[in-house]
Amino acid sequence: SSTNKSADNVEEATVRVKSEMDDLQKCEKELEKSRAKLKELMEKEREKQEQLKAKQEAKRAEVAKEESEASAELSEREKDVTELQDERRADKQKLSEEERAHEAAAAKASLETTNLQKLEADIEEAEQNLRKYRRAEDADGGVYNSKSEREPCKESAHSPSAGQKCEKSGVVLHRAYAATMLVLATALTM
């Protein structure tokens, strides 16, 4: 009976060990399945991470490209602004020079108008002087040779030179014309 009991105990222990080994094998198979599933999930997660990383890199590259293009466009616009400012400065300078040239031309025109008015006044005065001398010399209406009415020359500042005849010879007229030309020449050289 004690051997029986021992054999029963061994048999019972063997059944329990066998049951436990079966449980252990089931657990190992489940563990294997779980490991395979975990490996599959980890592979999927790694692929997702790589895809996410690739998307982020692509996004960074796109942002960097956009920044580069924006920077180039900004640089181009700044260059355009600088060129426009330079053109504006050049235009202002040209306008200023043209205004100065216009003012100088207007001043010159004003001076020439003044000189012309003075010249016209001088000519008018010379004409009046000439008329006065003509009237004094030509009181009888003209200069002509007449044997019957010869008047002796009067001594004056406008007396004819020694080689000229002493009749109304036009010396005064010649001197008045010369004086008028002298006034004109002087006025034109101003």
Side-chain angles (χ1 to χ4, degrees), residues 119 122-123 177-190:
L119 181 59
D122 289 346
I123 289 173
Y177 177 75
T180 303
M181 288 297 117
L182 179 64
V183 169
L184 283 173
T186 304
L188 289 174
T189 58
M190 287 185 179

Side-chain angles (χ1 to χ4, degrees), residues 89-102:
R89 274 192 288 274
D91 289 345
K92 279 185 177 180
Q93 185 177 3
K94 185 177 179 182
L95 177 63
S96 176
E97 289 172 3
E98 288 176 356
E99 285 176 345
R100 283 194 297 272
H102 174 73

Side-chain angles (χ1 to χ4, degrees), residues 5-19:
K5 221 177 187 185
S6 263
D8 282 339
N9 279 345
V10 169
E11 204 173 303
E12 201 179 292
T14 303
V15 170
R16 241 185 324 167
V17 167
K18 194 175 181 182
S19 171

Side-chain angles (χ1 to χ4, degrees), residues 29-62:
K29 285 181 184 179
E30 284 182 32
L31 181 62
E32 247 348 274
K33 286 180 186 177
S34 294
R35 280 185 181 163
K37 193 171 186 178
L38 178 62
K39 186 176 181 182
E40 184 182 321
L41 288 173
M42 286 178 73
E43 186 65 29
K44 286 182 180 178
E45 184 64 26
R46 186 183 62 76
E47 287 176 6
K48 282 183 183 178
Q49 290 295 329
E50 286 179 3
Q51 288 175 354
L52 181 62
K53 188 176 180 181
K55 284 181 182 178
Q56 288 175 343
E57 288 297 321
K59 192 69 168 174
R60 283 188 192 128
E62 185 179 331

